[in-house]
Amino acid sequence: MYVSRSRPCSVLRAETGEALGAHIRRMRTERAKELLADGSLAVGAVARRLGYPSGSAFSHAFRQACGATPTAWRGAHAR
């Protein structure tokens, strides 16, 4: 592509107002909410599906983003 590594990041920030890392975290959190609300997957399976190295890493990231553990969030938002 012959583009510097920072160029796509700059374009994304200009278009969305988000840094690349923040955008990825937001998208993962949105997908996690969808999977948790469905209720057919265990929390550990959701973590693996989203590429987290462990359930605890997923729980920590989810709590940082949503203010609740995945299990608590699921209980409040299950379909």
Side-chain angles (χ1 to χ4, degrees), residues 15-78:
E15 292 293 320
T16 66
E18 288 180 306
L20 179 61
H23 181 75
I24 292 169
R25 282 188 300 277
R26 184 178 57 78
M27 298 300 291
R28 282 173 108 184
T29 301
E30 287 176 11
R31 182 66 179 138
K33 287 178 179 180
E34 291 171 7
L35 294 171
L36 289 168
D38 178 36
S40 63
L41 291 174
V43 173
V46 172
R48 284 188 299 279
R49 187 170 284 190
L50 295 174
Y52 285 93
S54 67
S56 63
F58 169 63
S59 291
H60 180 76
F62 191 88
R63 185 175 203 145
Q64 289 269 132
C66 300
T69 64
T71 304
W73 190 92
R74 174 181 268 170
H77 297 89

Side-chain angles (χ1 to χ4, degrees), residues 6-20:
S6 63
R7 180 68 180 143
C9 295
S10 298
V11 170
L12 180 71
R13 185 182 289 272
E15 292 293 320
T16 66
E18 288 180 306
L20 179 61

